[in-house]
Amino acid sequence: MTLISHDEAAAGPSRAVSSTGVMDDMATVAAVRRSTRTRPLSPARLLEDAVTRAGLWQRLDERAAGDPGGLSVLVTPGTSTYGDLTTAVSAVLVEQLIDLLGDRGYRNITVGAARCGPDVWLEGLGLLQTCRRLGYGGCTQRGNTYRIADLSEDVEPARFPTSSVLHGSGMSRAWLEADFRINIAKNSTHPEFGYALCLANLLGVLPQADKHHHYRARRDGAEVVVDLLRSYAPDFHIIDAVVSSHGCAGSYVGKPLGTGTVIAAPDGALADMVGALLMHVDPVSSPLNARVLRDHGLPDDYHLDADLTPYQGWRNPPRALVEAVRRLAPDGRAHRLFSIASWQVTPGAAEVTDPALARLSRLLTTLIRVADENPAASAALCTVVGTAASASFTVRAWRTGFRKEKVRRRDVSLAVDPDAYSHRDFDRINGLLQPLEEIIDALPADAWLMRWQHLDHSILFGCERTVNAPYAEFVRRVDISQTISYMADYLGGRVHVVSRDVQGRPTRQIERNLYLAQPNYMAFYGGPPIDVCKLEKISYEERSQRIAWQTVHSPNGSAEYDDGSVVFLPADGGNRTRIVVRVRQRFTLPLTWQVFRPETRPKLREPLVQDSYQRFFTRTLDNFEAQYEGRPYRIGRPWEKQDDMLAAELPTQRLTEAARLVRSVTAQALAVSKLPGQLGPDGFRHVAPVDVPSRFGLLEDLREELRPAVSGFWQGLREAVARDRRSR
């Protein structure tokens, strides 16, 4: 990395100088242009200087190959169509960029607009109409015209590889067919990431209207950005920091601060790193940026044409708030509710139709606006979010142990580079496992034909079962290459086939798989799901089929070892099938259990280990039989592949319905004002039993409304207890 001094930067536009002293027209340069009191510059001049120093024109000229008029340029400014104007990229700055492009002959320009934030939950004007409200009229003040394209429309299939979390997804035709893409982000803070710049802005260019549902809950947002960069990356990045939005949640509630800066770079991760340093935060403090920096990395030889003095008066989100928001599971309703209710909706531009959501939004946005100056408001905001996070954690842990059908399955990427492994890496797996399998086979079996032993802080385990299924029919119905997905508590994963035999069957493949926390009760102590990437070697012999795997990576650090094999063998002359499982596992314990150090208490550890392995592999062997018989056995709920507002229902909707029911019942109760019976000549009111109006009817109505939820809870509890007894 080379740092260009501020004095050199003030000398005027120049080509970057490499560390060898050779002028390099196409060097990767991150340029920062700032307006100061001693040297004030207009936004237009800041923009022109920044993009020139970062090499935009050289890159465009190389791509245009002498025909700038024929080059289609797509500009994607980050914005919420109904959000606060101070949280959006300045339309004036975007049109100034279009003028700069027009001056150099680039006139085929499209502004790509996308829905983001809570837009899908609001009632307002259409996307193109609200873009005009933000200042995009289709023609600049200097007469350069441009088109506005909705990146959620005209979606075509995209060629994401099978290893990508976006495999099978489409992209807007405008994005796919653009010859040069320029990504423009607003300089702002974020209550979960800490800061949200160019990389976070890329979540908005994806086609599904409900961004949270598809790119934060169903998929991991960081994996989405990494895979987008690998397949359809922007060619240039700009950060609009002329007027920034800082504070607790600058991306949601506008809090303007004049920072007089424009940042430009050909690489999004590099631009974000510079932007984070100017905010005086660690660039890897954002989990999204940390993942991109780990998997995508920075350019090999980049230069900083920058003054990295932090912004004066800048406020970052409090650490307590960031930690609380990160505890909200992205695939949970509490996280979705917070991300929607915390968004400042411009009055008159849109309407929040859910009364409970509107009240919650007023509360949260008010707290966010004053939290930076008011410690009491900051504490209240952190308390509200922290309480929701604790409740979300408890619900998630409960479902892991007792309501597994309620857990959402996961769509993930492969998380490893398939090209990093040769065929030799797969072929050596059997040799690595052979010594361990010999030890397992030599161990004594218990009544369930299970064997286990501690070895170097890991567990060696083996089990087998002979099922009443003809071997030939069993291997036809139960695909040995999909063995991992037959395991108990399987949440999802991704498979990349490396090679096949002459019959088209996989022989080498890489697989990433996720399971619920093991044992399940670890979820109550903060245990994460088991997330491992494996190399797998599969062999098909006349009298056996075998899959063997070796763990090469654990994206969340949940496992150090999860190696093993499964073999299908004929039994009783082929009339039955024998299943043999051998594994070596070592999972990372939650911090509470690490402090407890169970390895020092063998009398307590041994029964727990034996019980957890018997439970898990008994259910696993049951799943093999269920697969053969065609019975359902998968846990969890799949995600809807298309936008489904009912599937993404907010908790406030049910809360609103309950409030309406209570109001209705209360109104009926208060309406019963007529005294029962008849007034006699003696001045007393004579009442017969049939004359007494029943107030219990109102309670009966309320009870009938609540009956499905209550009965569903107890039914689910009974089913969980029954499953627990069967597994024992």
Side-chain angles (χ1 to χ4, degrees), residues 246-266:
H246 68 142
C248 285
S251 301
Y252 294 170
V253 178
K255 187 174 184 181
L257 177 68
T259 47
T261 302
V262 173
I263 304 169

Side-chain angles (χ1 to χ4, degrees), residues 13 32 71 80 182 185 216 236 263 281 292 320 430 443 464 481 511 539 611 622 646 665 672 708:
V32 178
L71 191 77
S80 168
I182 301 176
R216 293 299 318 282
F236 203 81
I263 304 169
V281 296
V292 174
N430 285 324
L443 295 172
E464 62 179 80
S481 68
E511 181 166 4
S539 58
D611 178 72
D622 291 342
L646 295 178
V665 170
V672 182

Side-chain angles (χ1 to χ4, degrees), residues 356-376:
L357 178 60
R359 291 187 177 92
L360 180 60
S361 179
R362 285 195 293 269
L363 170 65
L364 287 178
T365 53
T366 300
L367 289 176
I368 290 172
R369 275 197 302 270
V370 302
D372 293 307
E373 290 78 19
N374 189 326

Side-chain angles (χ1 to χ4, degrees), residues 3 68 105 115 138 225 228 249 291 306 319 358 381 404 412 428 487 580 598 627 632 644 648 658 661 670 688 698:
L3 284 174
R115 301 181 187 276
V225 173
L228 181 61
R291 180 63 180 270
R319 190 64 187 176
L381 178 62
K404 297 180 182 181
V412 295
R428 61 197 289 265
M487 297 286 182
V580 181
Q627 174 67 21
D644 186 349
L661 175 63
L670 295 177
L698 301 175

Side-chain angles (χ1 to χ4, degrees), residues 215-237:
Y215 308 121
R216 293 299 318 282
R218 178 182 172 188
R219 302 174 176 91
D220 181 83
E223 292 186 358
V224 169
V225 173
V226 168
D227 286 349
L228 181 61
L229 290 174
R230 286 174 176 165
S231 299
Y232 299 100
D235 301 285
F236 203 81
H237 301 262

